[in-house]
Amino acid sequence: MSPDDPQRYRLRPAQPGDLAALERLAAASAIGISSLSTEREQLRDALARSATAFEREDDDVSGEETYLFVLEDRARGHELIGTAGIAASAGFHDRFYCYRNEFIVQASAALNARNRIHTLHLCHDLTGVTLLTGFHIDPAYAHTLAPQLLSRGRLLFIAEHAARFSDRIAAENPGLADDSGRCPFWDAVGRRFFDLDYPAAEAMSGGRSHKAWIAELMPQAPIYVPLLPDEAQVAIGQLHPVGQLPFDILMDEGFDVDNYVNLFDAGPTADGRVGLLRSVQQRRVRQPLTGDAGAAQGRWQIVASRARAGFRALLLPQDGGELRLDAAQAQALGWRPGLSVSATPLAGPHGADAADGDAAPGDAAGGDIGHGVAS
Amino acid sequence: MTAEMSVIGVADPAALAALVGGANGLGWLAAAAALFDSGSEVWAATQAGRTRALVRFTPAIGLQPPRHWYHVGCVVHASPELRRRLPLATLQLNNDLTGEAELAGWLTEPGLDPHDCRAAWRALLAAGLQRLAGRLPAGTAAPRLLVELPGPRDDRGASPFWQGLGRHFYAGDPAAAQARFGDAWRSHVAALLPRQLVYCAFLPEAAQQAIGTVHGDAQALAALLHEAGLRWSRHIRIDDGGPVFVAEAPRAGMADPTA
């Protein structure tokens, strides 16, 4: 396997044995969209909850499940190079808070004047929505196809096990803050109600999951954005550069970013319909054959097993209608003849655009979520 | 010995000219003429035949067009879990004082000495309170008499309250709107102002300070209103944050100079 062969990466559910590797990843200040805890106990807890979620039968799910995935480099002894998660139901125990962008237009005919006022409404719109969480990739792999597999592979899992998830999906993205944690939006809004620094407040929120007390302290009436300092206004919906990579993938999938922002730093919270996401729309259930997959033509697809706890996903060259897996690929996917897999072309410059979807007759859309060919 | 102050109604601008423009021969006639408005009366405080002060009495304000104020309120955000308790001042645009009576447009004879000025104001205020007492059927809620006071301005006439709040919603000048539309200016400007609760914490310090603060030039009138039993209603003017003083009910013990 050549060093730059995308087939070296594999996505799989995290396991309790990944603790040490995850600690290393956290300590290495990986590129990520939320702070990956460096606390051993928190990581251990997250791994245990994820293991439970993957094992739980469809009949037993409640929505409180959180799924943690890890990305391995098979060319380097299965070294762990990234992680990302899914929360089945945002705010499961309570509510999920965010600000909704709204615009109010007022006018006075007599004064021949009209305004368009941006307001932020504290809301629970995204409560119960499936949440993409904790994307982290080793920076050395940022410019490879590894992050594509890490981020989009989760969508194949969601599509496959749709009954366990909402048909709406969202992802928080980091807003503007400097290295010391100074955050212009927090200083203009949150601090007035909490009198705490942003990092302290975020820590208090329990890693963005336990925010019941926010309702008690944060402004309940709409915030009139023009009343905020310029610096804070500019920060609303602005992405921190550290989140650019995972954000671009979400954009490409068709997430909407104009609706919601994060309560603390006003970073954009992307949202969408699972069934309308690019990877889900172009997902097909395939019946692979044994054999040589053939040479890569520079266009790639994500191929995933349909198992739950045994979920595996790889990047493989796009095929001309006949998906073949060699012995090593079959083993990496946990595939054996007779099993079907799900596959979706990788979007962007490394994959096909929507019009190129090579859906052969018989490649029926994958039952529960497939919506036919993308427009 | 100061001569007694009397309050008389002024029927129309012609009568006003006879009162003010004649014996006094003063340049305040134009300003005084502007007091006349449909639905209002103009009252003069006179002393030994001289007109000392003028005021406009409106029996019921805000009927047409509506009049707007901000109510200064408070919400307490408390988290027992975090042991935090935060009282927050708020502003809510409303028409709370619709239908109340008002004394407005206080004008005094130029050069009037402060003692006589206070006597004239006191007489006009007492007349207003008396009027309300007179129309009060037994057992009904007392009508209220309100007086709006101007808020602080800087040297160039700019209001820190407007700079901090209103201008973000209306780029024009409220004073120009007032000159053009008369009393209706408030409803035109208010159409552009925030209708939802505004947390004062989002306003600049100077704007917060201006809320309910009386302009220096109106301190004497404010003191007199307080002395007569009027109190800040926790409402403020929408343009400069000046307070609205209200008398809950006619006070006993106020002499009726018109009697």
Side-chain angles (χ1 to χ4, degrees):
Chain A
M1 203 178 293
S2 87
D4 56 352
D5 184 352
Q7 298 185 59
R8 63 195 284 177
Y9 310 120
R10 179 171 79 160
L11 187 69
R12 63 163 173 82
Q15 295 159 359
D18 293 324
L19 181 61
L22 276 178
E23 277 185 312
R24 271 201 307 279
L25 194 65
S29 67
I31 294 176
I33 62 171
S34 67
S35 43
L36 181 58
S37 175
T38 53
E39 297 293 323
R40 170 170 288 240
E41 284 314 308
Q42 283 188 24
L43 283 173
R44 196 196 302 278
D45 183 49
L47 285 168
R49 278 188 287 124
S50 174
T52 305
F54 276 107
E55 292 295 341
R56 195 168 281 173
E57 295 299 328
D58 282 4
D59 296 347
D60 289 342
V61 295
S62 63
E64 67 180 326
E65 294 81 20
T66 54
Y67 302 84
L68 204 56
F69 297 84
V70 291
L71 190 66
E72 306 169 331
D73 185 348
R74 298 195 291 144
R76 293 182 62 185
H78 292 265
E79 185 186 345
L80 207 154
I81 60 167
T83 178
I86 308 169
S89 176
F92 170 77
H93 284 297
D94 190 354
R95 287 155 283 185
F96 182 84
Y97 290 93
C98 59
Y99 285 123
R100 183 179 61 241
N101 286 309
E102 284 192 13
F103 290 86
I104 296 168
V105 175
Q106 299 184 129
S108 165
L111 295 172
N112 193 26
R114 177 184 174 83
N115 59 30
R116 184 171 185 271
I117 303 294
H118 182 188
T119 57
L120 297 177
H121 295 243
L122 188 69
C123 76
H124 310 133
D125 285 11
L126 298 179
T127 301
V129 166
T130 292
L131 209 57
L132 296 178
T133 59
F135 179 99
H136 283 266
I137 187 92
D138 180 334
Y141 292 84
H143 301 294
T144 70
L145 293 186
Q148 305 290 327
L149 177 60
L150 176 60
S151 180
R152 299 182 206 257
R154 291 177 294 181
L155 302 179
L156 288 187
F157 184 83
I158 291 169
E160 186 70 61
H161 305 285
R164 306 165 79 89
F165 300 100
S166 166
D167 61 355
R168 291 185 72 198
I169 188 166
E172 293 186 287
N173 294 277
L176 297 183
D178 66 19
D179 291 341
S180 66
R182 204 186 77 78
C183 172
F185 183 77
W186 176 260
D187 287 350
V189 178
R191 181 186 290 282
R192 297 183 193 278
F193 298 90
F194 280 81
D195 198 24
L196 285 174
D197 284 337
Y198 170 55
E202 209 205 0
M204 196 180 273
S205 81
R208 297 172 183 247
S209 60
H210 187 64
K211 296 192 247 190
W213 45 270
I214 288 172
E216 298 164 339
L217 292 179
M218 291 299 266
Q220 300 293 305
I223 295 172
Y224 288 97
V225 171
L227 298 180
L228 302 179
D230 289 346
E231 198 188 9
Q233 291 190 36
V234 167
I236 295 170
Q238 279 293 306
L239 178 71
H240 192 289
V242 77
Q244 193 67 51
L245 173 61
F247 185 78
D248 286 347
I249 296 173
L250 298 181
M251 290 302 86
D252 185 71
E253 285 289 344
F255 276 82
D256 200 339
V257 287
D258 295 329
N259 301 330
Y260 304 103
V261 299
N262 176 269
L263 216 53
F264 292 94
D265 59 15
T269 296
D271 73 297
R273 293 274 165 190
V274 172
L276 297 180
L277 299 181
R278 183 177 184 137
S279 288
V280 176
Q281 279 205 326
Q282 298 182 34
R283 169 181 175 269
R284 298 289 181 273
V285 172
R286 310 285 302 272
Q287 294 288 343
L289 300 172
T290 305
D292 184 358
Q297 302 296 315
R299 287 184 164 186
W300 298 89
Q301 61 182 336
I302 301 175
V303 176
S305 68
R306 304 186 68 189
R308 192 175 67 242
F311 177 82
R312 306 283 186 270
L314 300 176
L315 287 169
L316 295 177
Q318 285 186 22
D319 58 88
E322 209 164 64
L323 176 58
R324 293 182 177 278
L325 299 174
D326 64 25
Q329 290 161 343
Q331 192 196 4
L333 273 178
W335 179 81
R336 61 181 188 277
L339 291 179
S340 58
V341 298
S342 69
T344 193
L346 201 57
H350 312 291
D353 59 35
D356 281 342
D358 290 329
D363 289 348
D368 38 26
I369 284 204
H371 281 267
V373 176
S375 55
Chain B
M1 179 95 184
T2 307
E4 195 177 338
M5 199 71 72
S6 316
V7 173
I8 57 169
V10 186
D12 52 38
L16 181 73
L19 261 179
V20 173
N24 298 101
L26 297 169
W28 54 318
L29 185 57
L35 291 176
F36 287 92
D37 190 16
S38 65
S40 302
E41 302 167 24
V42 175
W43 294 351
T46 62
Q47 187 182 35
R50 285 178 70 95
T51 299
R52 297 303 199 186
L54 292 160
V55 77
R56 181 174 67 199
F57 175 79
T58 308
I61 55 167
L63 301 183
Q64 192 65 289
R67 195 191 288 195
H68 294 75
W69 301 267
Y70 291 114
H71 178 251
V72 183
C74 173
V75 293
V76 177
H77 288 191
S79 169
E81 186 186 346
L82 301 184
R83 296 182 174 205
R84 271 165 203 274
R85 184 185 163 280
L86 196 61
L88 294 160
T90 57
L91 298 178
Q92 176 70 61
L93 192 67
N94 65 24
N95 314 105
D96 277 359
L97 303 172
T98 300
E100 311 287 14
E102 182 191 36
L103 287 175
W106 303 76
L107 289 173
T108 47
E109 181 189 12
L112 187 65
D113 81 66
H115 180 267
D116 285 344
C117 175
R118 287 173 57 78
W121 282 345
R122 197 178 285 116
L124 291 167
L125 187 59
L129 292 167
Q130 190 64 32
R131 169 70 78 89
L132 296 182
R135 71 169 188 188
L136 182 64
T140 57
R144 299 192 288 178
L145 180 70
L146 70 85
V147 178
E148 288 191 6
L149 291 168
R153 302 267 171 179
D154 67 16
D155 298 342
R156 290 171 300 176
S159 149
F161 181 75
W162 180 261
Q163 293 302 309
L165 179 55
R167 82 177 163 90
H168 296 293
F169 297 84
Y170 173 49
D173 177 9
Q178 185 169 6
R180 185 171 161 208
F181 295 103
D183 263 7
W185 75 273
R186 289 184 188 83
S187 68
H188 296 320
V189 170
L192 299 162
L193 295 177
R195 314 239 170 121
Q196 309 288 331
L197 198 70
V198 173
Y199 296 92
C200 296
F202 287 134
L203 305 182
E205 188 58 34
Q208 294 188 43
Q209 292 291 334
I211 292 170
T213 300
V214 181
H215 189 288
D217 292 351
Q219 295 286 355
L221 179 56
L224 185 129
L225 295 176
H226 193 267
E227 180 189 300
L230 281 77
R231 295 291 180 268
W232 183 35
S233 65
R234 304 197 70 80
H235 292 83
I236 58 172
R237 292 164 52 92
I238 59 173
D239 58 340
D240 57 19
V244 180
F245 273 56
V246 167
E248 283 301 329
R251 287 287 171 129
M254 284 287 290
D256 178 5
T258 63

